[in-house]
Amino acid sequence: MIEVESLTKQFGSKRAVDNLSFTVKKGEVLGFLGPNGAGKSTTMRMITGFIPPTSGDAKVCGISIIDDPTAAKTRIGYLPESAPLYNDMTVTGFLRFCAEVRGIRGSARNEAVEKAIETCFLTGVAKQSIDTLSKGYRHRTCLAQSLLHDPDVLILDEPTDGLDPNQKHEVRQLIKRLGEKKAILFSTHILEEVEAACTRAVIVDRGRIVADGTPAQLLEQSGTGSLTDLFRRLTTRDTEAAA
Amino acid sequence: MTSATIYKRELSSYFSQPTAYAIMVIFLALSMGLTFSFGNFMRVGDASLEWTFFFWHPWIYMLLAPAVGMKLWADEQRTGTIELLGTFPLSTWSAIIGKFLAAATVWLAALLLTFPIVATVNYLGDPDNGAIFSGYIGSFLVCCTFLAITMLVSACTRDQVVCLIVSVAICVTMVLCGYDDFTRELGKAASPTIVEAVTSIGVWEHFRSLNRGLFRLQDFVWFGSFIVVCLLGTSAILSAKRA
Ligand SMILES: Nc1ncnc2c1ncn2[C@@H]1O[C@H](COP(=O)(O)OP(=O)(O)OP(=O)(O)O)[C@@H](O)[C@H]1O
Ligand SMILES: [Mg+2]
């Protein structure tokens, strides 16, 4: 349902994403791994239509994000890396606004908001103003926003960042559960999450894919049975890059 | 439809925070205060309110209108919520319209609250209510022009203070450029064509004719096209920034 076709992004002289191609089918959860600055967030921003690619295309449910951005965006739920929120709103108010922007109105809107609040365990803070939320709750509020319209495609940029161990576990379970009926692309720096939630994972380094496979295949490829070893072997370390 | 949702959010954000109230109180205090003190409201028989009341408006707007408009895009860029807006299925244009109308509504409310002045002149004498009405329209158009400029500037920066300073500078220039004392001084130093060019970017010519109750098409075209150009510029800057 997500088809990325030779996506490239050039920032000045820096090539952040280099001719990247992959697909995520329905029922698949693709883990997106890579060192800092590998181009994960940039790729996600291009797929969600926030920044235009220098070349290449991304299709969501068969709709090109370049040719018909509005139609493609209705199919996507997106959690940006920084989990941005409108600080002057309450959690419920914010989610209602997001639902309305997506064309969900009336009682359908209230139901969707209720459901998202339950799914992301926000009941306790539903009436609280967003600027008084703790980091983890902010992150979960933004995650709730991406689930409101029950999208076919979920793109989550570090969904477990800033969550406590209980919530990390819950969110992984949530991703796994949702992944049965959707196509999910999520990035993470926690390699255990690959085994816990993903059906497939890719490792990107400097804008290119350096490994692609099911968690079992990757473990085999590592030779030592540790994803960390594989990750360290395949990706450029800043210390080397500087040398 | 999405414009209406954005409009509602922006408006409730103005009124859930002190911004709108502070602006209204200061505007009312200044406009009434100047009318009754320097405007000599009680002595001169100014039936259209041109010199006693409306005269002060551009001077007040040039400082206060940017304070209302500065957050529109600057805040969105600083907090990263622009990434949410950019990935919702809505056009940049509908967000621009929604935000602009919300800021204009705050000013419309402030302007409507000056009704005691109109009531007073009607009680004390026999004013030209047609001219007063068109004076209000002119005043509102000047304000909307300044808001459009502020919006354009706020698309360029993520810093509200920078946006405020730059917009105030532009608005002050536009107020001074057509002002009689200034053009007279300029006339001594520069050629008539220069004076004419400078005057044409000032607001006074168009504002004055509306103050006198003249509904000239050219004034509406001037204000209208100025606003539309600023909003188009905002849209262009926002998409250029993402590339
Ligand atoms: N707007 C921009 N202008 C210039 N360079 C940018 C811009 N956005 C990203 N980059 C560069 O592109 C590269 C990829 O950044 P990106 O945010 O995609 O990395 P990432 O894989 O998400 O890293 P992290 O794990 O730290 O989140 C980085 O080197 C970054 O400096
Ligand atoms: Mg990132």
Side-chain angles (χ1 to χ4, degrees):
Chain A
M1 281 210 271
I2 310 175
E3 295 157 66
V4 175
E5 294 158 7
S6 44
L7 214 52
T8 300
K9 184 72 199 180
Q10 188 91 31
F11 287 116
S13 65
K14 187 178 174 67
R15 186 161 282 216
V17 176
D18 193 358
N19 212 0
L20 207 66
S21 303
F22 60 87
T23 59
V24 187
K25 293 197 239 357
K26 186 175 168 162
E28 252 188 337
V29 179
L30 181 67
F32 211 38
L33 309 174
N36 293 137
K40 303 182 294 296
S41 302
T42 308
T43 308
M44 291 181 164
R45 288 190 177 128
M46 288 191 283
I47 301 173
T48 52
F50 179 59
I51 53 175
T54 309
S55 66
D57 194 1
K59 290 206 180 78
V60 174
C61 306
I63 310 164
S64 160
I65 190 73
I66 294 171
D67 298 336
D68 194 351
T70 314
K73 286 171 183 176
T74 59
R75 310 298 184 92
I76 305 176
Y78 175 45
L79 167 69
E81 185 170 28
S82 57
L85 301 166
Y86 290 107
N87 288 325
D88 52 354
M89 301 176 103
T90 63
V91 172
T92 309
F94 170 74
L95 293 176
R96 285 189 177 158
F97 162 73
C98 295
E100 273 181 37
V101 168
R102 291 189 175 277
I104 311 169
R105 278 155 208 285
S107 59
R109 179 197 72 173
N110 294 347
E111 276 166 35
V113 169
E114 278 303 312
K115 198 168 158 227
I117 285 179
E118 265 173 48
T119 314
C120 299
F121 310 98
L122 291 166
T123 320
V125 296
K127 299 266 175 309
Q128 200 171 325
S129 167
I130 285 176
D131 57 7
T132 62
L133 290 182
S134 73
K135 180 178 171 183
Y137 277 108
R138 290 180 62 95
H139 222 88
R140 275 144 64 183
T141 306
C142 205
L143 179 64
Q145 160 276 133
S146 69
L147 304 173
L148 281 171
H149 52 302
D150 195 20
D152 296 324
V153 167
L154 266 179
I155 295 182
L156 309 172
D157 204 345
E158 303 191 16
T160 54
D161 180 38
L163 302 188
D164 66 51
N166 296 332
Q167 285 301 325
K168 276 201 173 81
H169 177 77
E170 293 292 350
V171 168
R172 282 174 208 158
Q173 295 303 315
L174 176 68
I175 290 174
K176 214 169 169 178
R177 202 172 69 231
L178 292 171
E180 287 163 13
K181 295 199 197 70
K182 303 178 194 295
I184 300 183
L185 171 65
F186 84 96
S187 72
T188 180
H189 288 299
I190 303 168
L191 297 176
E192 299 88 75
E193 267 172 19
V194 175
E195 291 164 82
C198 298
T199 59
R200 198 156 69 85
V202 296
I203 302 178
V204 287
D205 182 38
R206 288 184 287 176
R208 293 164 186 270
I209 294 182
V210 292
D212 181 351
T214 62
Q217 284 169 339
L218 291 178
L219 283 176
E220 200 177 315
Q221 199 182 334
S222 73
T224 58
S226 146
L227 277 176
T228 315
D229 289 339
L230 181 71
F231 188 91
R232 286 173 63 89
R233 197 173 74 224
L234 291 178
T235 59
T236 332
R237 277 169 247 163
D238 286 340
T239 42
E240 289 170 32
Chain B
M1 209 47 178
T2 45
S3 287
T5 311
I6 301 280
Y7 170 80
K8 236 170 62 189
R9 199 209 82 75
E10 290 295 330
L11 199 63
S12 67
S13 133
Y14 276 123
F15 285 95
S16 68
Q17 287 176 321
T19 332
Y21 305 104
I23 291 293
M24 283 182 181
V25 168
I26 296 171
F27 175 71
L28 289 178
L30 281 178
S31 62
M32 301 281 189
L34 291 167
T35 302
F36 284 100
S37 56
F38 298 104
N40 282 326
F41 178 72
M42 300 312 272
R43 269 183 286 136
V44 291
D46 180 6
S48 66
L49 292 178
E50 180 187 351
W51 290 105
T52 49
F53 177 59
F54 290 120
F55 171 78
W56 304 106
H57 287 194
W59 303 100
I60 303 174
Y61 291 147
M62 73 185 188
L63 302 174
L64 288 188
V68 172
M70 65 181 182
K71 69 157 197 161
L72 288 174
W73 290 105
D75 215 31
E76 207 88 43
Q77 297 182 69
R78 187 180 57 80
T79 59
T81 42
I82 191 154
E83 199 164 345
L84 287 178
L85 280 190
T87 54
F88 284 152
L90 54 85
S91 63
T92 314
W93 194 236
S94 57
I96 291 177
I97 296 288
K99 279 168 177 281
F100 181 72
L101 291 181
T105 305
V106 172
W107 276 110
L108 188 63
L111 213 47
L112 290 179
L113 286 176
T114 60
F115 73 90
I117 291 263
V118 184
T120 313
V121 285
N122 272 292
Y123 175 74
L124 290 178
D126 183 22
D128 181 351
N129 280 318
I132 292 179
F133 178 68
S134 89
Y136 268 110
I137 291 180
S139 171
F140 186 56
L141 285 173
V142 170
C143 182
C144 286
T145 307
F146 289 173
L147 281 176
I149 291 169
T150 311
M151 184 134 163
L152 180 71
V153 176
S154 86
C156 302
T157 173
R158 52 170 61 213
D159 191 331
Q160 293 196 34
V161 178
V162 172
C163 173
L164 180 68
I165 293 169
V166 174
S167 328
V168 167
I170 297 174
C171 295
V172 166
T173 313
M174 285 184 69
V175 170
L176 286 182
C177 274
Y179 189 56
D180 293 340
D181 293 343
F182 179 77
T183 41
R184 210 177 304 123
E185 288 304 315
L186 189 68
K188 290 177 195 158
S191 73
T193 31
I194 294 180
V195 174
E196 203 174 306
V198 168
T199 320
S200 68
I201 64 162
V203 294
W204 289 103
E205 188 193 336
H206 309 282
F207 182 54
R208 286 263 166 73
S209 81
L210 277 164
N211 279 174
R212 302 206 174 97
L214 303 173
F215 284 94
R216 293 192 306 180
L217 184 62
Q218 69 206 74
D219 300 324
F220 288 101
V221 170
W222 189 85
F223 284 119
S225 46
F226 210 107
I227 292 168
V228 169
V229 165
C230 285
L231 298 190
L232 285 173
T234 308
S235 164
I237 288 170
L238 286 174
S239 29
K241 275 204 132 179
R242 280 196 220 154

